[in-house]
């Protein structure tokens, strides 16, 4: 009985805490997604404004959902469909009865108009793509949504991407702004606070888009105080409640995402979490030692180190094909991870560091499969195979927000700011056959290269930098002796998200100093080259 009453007390405590959360405090913006390429950016702008929001696909938003989440404002995203289509995606019609401000963007504006009695047309002269200008008309005076905008000659530079446009608006709406091919570029019903814009205020190229979004949020009196600290507290409580007294496992790779995931879950449930670090022998110099020290000594994580260097290297012996390497490494990883997870026994959850962009990209509106360029190494196959539920505490965050969360958790800045490192590790930076000798040469060259970059204060200006050992030996002369050694290629790129990239423009002085440092200090390399390929046509990694 005592135990039961304790359970109830704990449940009450958690419910009270959740009541404090953003949904209950009604500080939540619901973004209904119709599949635009830039929906994520709406969420980004809102978070920058310190307002909590979530994106949900249109077909998952129903009455129950709206009751539960109780949004304080709603944004309807853009999307690739045409509202003129019979099966055009729609939000539930009762969003218009919730008495909360609604902002429709592009497709969102068009579907709102169609549902409320306006109309949309398609044809010549209805489309605009790229830069455009919206001009105000005389109805726009004193409209709160437009405060601080249109100060320069009454026009704003915006970014458009539409084929159809709104042709008529319901009686209770007014038009405030027009562009060349959108006679209803900004419309609204001031009483209800329903607004629609044909352009995309969420993208960087709409110069004052963020001002418009902030004005929209001000209509609902948001307190603009969402912070990573509140996210952290909320996540800890949610994890506690979901896991109860069950066990969780997590694959730690040494990267930022899996580290933040594990440290956050550890904060919530302590030793009920077991982390498995698979040492595949493909890590950089001293990397395993350093990350394990952080996990064990600083965070006291319950950690299993699976030292499987021999297993990985023996299975990779003789393999030259990049895809075969990746598949071999992925398969072995799952095998090793599964073995240790089974030893722990009675595990219910697998923790993964899935980020927001991964979640959003997986909502496919086009339905078409994309071409596989490289088989990425991840733990995606595991939960199904092992019958585990997933815990993904980062699935609402962007990469830089994960770093902020890491900071809240006290993870050192140097660790959080590290360049990305791929799952298959040095294997894909060693074209041709992988040998212990080549891996060691590569580790030494990479260490010197990164030291040079740090010494010159360039590390944080570069998105990713690394050395590659080429499967070619060339003749050189050092002292008075002939050498016949490997070639090392250096790669450094700038990028936003790894999807596209450009090479970093080092100075000649930097390159020659670095080449000399590598050749003088790394036995086995007598020639250094710098890779000046962008992505596309290249990829960032060499394999
Ligand atoms: P690519 O070479 O495809 O790389 O231009 C883009 C980014 O992804 C990283 N990368 C991987 N990350 N598992 C990972 O976790 C992988 O299998 C993998 N392959 C490439 C790469 O380092 C770059 O940051």
């Amino acid at each position: 009985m005592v135990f039961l009453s304790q359970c109830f007390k704990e449940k009450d405590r958690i419910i009270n805490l959740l009541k404090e959360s953003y949904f209950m405090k009604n500080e939540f913006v619901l973004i209904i997604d119709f599949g635009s390429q830039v929906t994520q950016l709406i969420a980004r702008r809102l978070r920058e404004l310190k307002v909590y929001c979530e994106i949900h696909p249109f077909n998952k938003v129903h009455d129950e959902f709206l009751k539960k989440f109780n949004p304080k404002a709603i944004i309807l995203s853009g999307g690739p469909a045409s509202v003129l289509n019979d099966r055009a995606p729609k939000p539930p019609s009762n969003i218009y009865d919730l008495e909360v401000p609604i902002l429709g963007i592009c497709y969102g504006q068009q579907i709102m108009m169609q549902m409320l009695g306006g109309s949309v047309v398609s044809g010549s002269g209805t489309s605009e793509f790229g830069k455009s200008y919206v001009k105000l008309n005389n109805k726009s005076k004193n409209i709160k949504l437009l405060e601080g905008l249109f100060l320069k000659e009454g026009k704003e530079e915006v970014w458009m991407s539409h084929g159809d446009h709104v042709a008529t608006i319901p009686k209770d709406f007014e038009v405030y702004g027009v562009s060349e091919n959108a006679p209803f570029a900004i419309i609204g019903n001031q009483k209800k606070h329903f607004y629609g814009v044909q352009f995309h205020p969420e993208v960087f190229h709409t110069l004052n888009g963020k001002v418009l979004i902030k004005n929209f949020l001000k209509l609902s009196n948001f307190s603009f105080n969402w912070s990573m600290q509140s996210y952290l507290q909320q996540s800890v409580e949610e994890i506690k409640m979901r896991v109860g007294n069950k066990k969780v496992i997590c694959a730690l790779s040494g990267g930022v995402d899996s580290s933040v995931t594990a440290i956050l879950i550890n904060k919530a449930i302590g030793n009920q979490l077991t982390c498995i670090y698979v040492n595949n022998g493909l890590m950089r110099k001293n990397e395993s030692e350093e990350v394990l020290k952080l996990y064990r000594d600083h965070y006291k994580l319950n950690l299993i180190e699976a030292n499987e260097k021999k297993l990985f290297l023996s299975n990779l012996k003789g393999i030259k094909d990049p895809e075969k390497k990746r598949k071999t490494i992925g398969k072995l990883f799952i095998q090793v991870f599964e073995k240790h997870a089974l030893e722990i026994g009675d595990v219910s959850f697998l923790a993964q560091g899935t980020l927001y962009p991964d979640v959003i990209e997986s909502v496919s509106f086009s339905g078409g499969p994309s071409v596989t360029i490289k088989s990425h190494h991840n733990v995606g196959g595991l939960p199904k195979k092992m019958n585990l539920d997933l815990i993904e505490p980062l699935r609402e965050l962007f990469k830089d927000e994960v770093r902020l969360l890491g900071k809240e958790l006290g993870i050192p800045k140097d660790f959080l700011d590290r360049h990305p490192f791929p799952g298959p590790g040095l294997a894909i930076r060693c074209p041709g056959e992988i040998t212990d000798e080549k891996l060691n040469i590569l580790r030494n060259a990479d260490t010197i290269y990164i030291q040079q970059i740090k010494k010159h204060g360039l590390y944080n200006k570069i998105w990713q930098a690394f050395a590659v050992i080429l499967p070619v030996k060339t003749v050189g002369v050092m002292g008075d002796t002939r050498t016949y050694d490997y070639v090392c290629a250096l790669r450094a790129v700038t990028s936003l998200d790894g999807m596209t990239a450009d090479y970093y423009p080092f100075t000649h002085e930097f390159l020659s100093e670095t080449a000399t440092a590598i050749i003088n200090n790394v036995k086995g390399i007598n020639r250094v080259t710098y890779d000046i390929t962008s992505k596309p046509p290249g990829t960032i990694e060499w394999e």
Side-chain angles (χ1 to χ4, degrees):
M1 277 309 276
V2 174
F3 174 71
L4 265 183
S5 81
Q6 268 172 355
C7 285
F8 283 128
K9 266 191 202 148
E10 178 62 5
K11 206 172 152 214
D12 283 349
R13 189 183 73 81
I14 291 167
I15 289 170
N16 280 338
L17 272 163
L18 280 176
K19 272 190 191 155
E20 288 292 302
S21 82
Y22 282 81
F23 299 136
M24 302 295 186
K25 271 200 279 173
N26 196 236
E27 282 286 329
F28 164 62
V29 181
L30 169 64
I31 301 167
I32 302 183
D33 185 22
F34 295 100
S36 156
Q37 297 282 320
V38 288
T39 302
Q40 286 180 49
L41 295 180
I42 308 175
R44 238 206 120 85
R45 297 288 95 85
L46 263 59
R47 305 261 183 89
E48 284 165 10
L49 293 165
K50 296 193 179 356
V51 169
Y52 185 72
C53 64
E54 281 183 23
I55 299 178
H56 290 272
F58 71 94
N59 51 356
K60 296 276 159 60
V61 179
H62 37 69
D63 297 358
E64 270 306 294
F65 177 100
L66 291 169
K67 244 188 238 155
K68 185 171 161 207
F69 289 102
N70 189 22
K72 192 172 179 172
I74 296 177
I75 298 181
L76 308 176
S77 86
S82 166
V83 303
L84 301 169
N85 232 315
D86 283 350
R87 296 177 57 203
K90 281 191 175 76
S93 53
N94 61 352
I95 59 165
Y96 304 112
D97 303 326
L98 294 176
E99 297 185 0
V100 298
I102 300 178
L103 174 67
I105 297 174
C106 195
Y107 180 88
Q109 179 205 35
Q110 296 171 6
I111 195 72
M112 173 158 69
M113 288 300 92
Q114 198 198 48
M115 291 173 85
L116 296 179
S119 65
V120 173
V121 286
S122 156
S124 69
T126 61
S127 62
E128 275 166 304
F129 293 95
K131 196 195 310 189
S132 179
Y133 290 90
V134 174
K135 283 190 190 144
L136 288 189
N137 66 10
N138 52 11
K139 295 260 173 57
S140 60
K141 282 201 186 101
N142 304 324
I143 301 291
K144 287 203 169 118
L145 183 79
L146 305 175
E147 260 174 22
L149 291 162
F150 297 92
L151 301 178
K152 227 165 135 194
E153 298 162 14
K155 62 178 190 178
E156 278 290 342
E157 185 176 321
V158 301
W159 189 78
M160 294 275 195
S161 180
H162 66 105
D164 304 347
H165 72 209
V166 173
T168 56
I169 53 177
K171 277 198 201 85
D172 52 351
F173 273 75
E174 286 180 319
V175 53
Y176 308 131
V178 297
S179 72
E180 201 180 327
N181 272 351
F184 298 97
I186 308 176
I187 49 152
N189 173 331
Q190 275 222 78
K191 242 195 196 151
K192 291 186 172 163
H193 283 321
F194 291 170
Y195 297 95
V197 290
Q198 182 56 74
F199 56 90
H200 286 265
E202 68 275 33
V203 306
F204 178 71
H205 293 95
T206 295
L207 300 183
N208 285 314
K210 203 160 144 184
V211 178
L212 186 137
I213 292 175
K214 186 162 190 187
N215 287 344
F216 171 70
L217 298 171
K218 278 187 189 162
L219 300 171
S220 307
N221 293 320
F222 276 96
S223 36
F224 297 98
N225 66 356
W226 181 83
S227 70
M228 205 37 89
Q229 183 51 243
S230 35
Y231 185 89
L232 172 60
Q233 282 166 4
Q234 193 185 328
S235 297
V236 165
E237 290 310 323
E238 279 170 6
I239 294 165
K240 275 186 190 164
M241 194 160 80
R242 177 139 187 248
V243 173
N245 56 8
K246 294 184 176 150
K247 286 190 204 165
V248 183
I249 47 168
C250 176
L252 267 179
S253 67
V256 171
D257 305 341
S258 70
S259 303
V260 172
T261 303
I263 291 165
L264 172 66
I265 296 179
N266 181 61
K267 190 176 168 73
I269 57 162
N271 270 354
Q272 279 164 257
L273 168 74
T274 307
C275 298
I276 301 171
Y277 177 79
V278 179
N279 188 346
N280 55 15
L282 300 164
M283 303 301 274
R284 290 164 290 190
K285 202 171 183 174
N286 300 329
E287 187 164 18
S288 292
E289 294 77 5
E290 281 166 18
V291 294
L292 290 175
K293 197 163 175 284
L294 178 81
Y295 296 150
R296 276 207 182 110
D297 298 355
H298 193 73
Y299 286 101
K300 312 264 183 269
L301 293 188
N302 185 8
L303 182 74
I304 295 173
E305 182 190 358
N307 205 334
E308 299 285 3
K309 186 177 154 186
K310 273 200 187 125
L311 175 80
F312 277 82
L313 294 190
S314 63
N315 274 274
L316 286 167
K317 202 162 179 225
I319 299 181
K320 292 182 181 161
D321 177 69
E323 273 299 283
K324 225 170 167 187
K325 275 185 196 171
R326 283 175 169 273
K327 292 216 162 104
T328 305
I329 295 167
K331 207 172 77 200
L332 286 173
F333 175 85
I334 292 190
Q335 206 175 298
V336 170
F337 187 84
E338 202 177 9
K339 184 179 98 186
H340 288 279
L342 289 176
E343 274 168 22
I344 301 164
D346 202 17
V347 174
S348 306
F349 296 97
L350 174 74
Q352 266 183 200
T354 315
L355 303 191
Y356 207 38
D358 311 330
V359 179
I360 299 295
E361 275 160 23
S362 65
V363 179
S364 165
F365 283 79
S366 61
S370 55
V371 179
T372 304
I373 308 290
K374 299 175 182 187
S375 314
H376 270 226
H377 166 72
N378 60 40
V379 289
L382 272 173
K384 227 182 185 174
K385 196 157 180 258
M386 298 179 64
N387 204 12
L388 296 173
D389 281 335
L390 275 180
I391 294 197
E392 298 172 308
L394 312 184
R395 59 183 285 128
E396 283 152 27
L397 303 181
F398 293 98
K399 185 85 183 177
D400 53 336
E401 292 175 324
V402 173
R403 292 201 172 103
L404 281 179
L405 180 60
K407 204 169 144 217
E408 290 293 336
L409 287 161
I411 302 176
K413 189 168 173 355
D414 278 2
F415 185 89
L416 293 172
D417 287 345
R418 283 181 323 161
H419 292 169
F421 186 64
L426 298 182
I428 57 172
R429 295 176 179 176
C430 190
E433 187 174 0
I434 297 162
T435 64
D436 235 350
E437 183 210 7
K438 278 162 78 180
L439 286 175
N440 279 329
I441 296 173
L442 175 58
R443 281 191 188 100
N444 290 333
D446 192 73
T447 304
I448 293 176
Y449 179 39
I450 300 298
Q451 276 167 356
Q452 275 286 110
I453 289 176
K454 287 188 173 163
K455 187 177 109 185
H456 286 261
L458 302 173
Y459 192 77
N460 290 329
K461 294 189 179 146
I462 293 169
W463 198 74
Q464 193 173 14
F466 53 88
V468 179
I469 183 165
L470 303 192
V472 197
K473 282 190 167 184
T474 67
V475 175
V477 52
M478 288 172 87
D480 287 326
T481 356
R482 175 187 193 266
T483 58
Y484 187 57
D485 282 329
Y486 287 107
V487 181
C488 164
L490 304 179
R491 182 91 165 121
V493 294
T494 53
S495 175
L496 268 181
D497 48 16
M499 304 295 283
T500 55
D502 204 357
Y503 74 91
Y504 186 78
F506 287 126
T507 60
H508 282 287
E509 291 73 27
F510 174 89
L511 287 172
S512 73
E513 188 186 303
T514 306
T516 306
I518 291 175
I519 292 167
N520 284 353
N521 293 293
V522 182
K523 201 163 174 309
I525 289 179
N526 67 357
R527 199 175 290 265
V528 173
T529 66
Y530 185 51
D531 177 359
I532 56 163
T533 321
S534 60
K535 172 183 180 176
T539 53
I540 296 177
E541 303 288 348
W542 276 45
E543 287 195 331

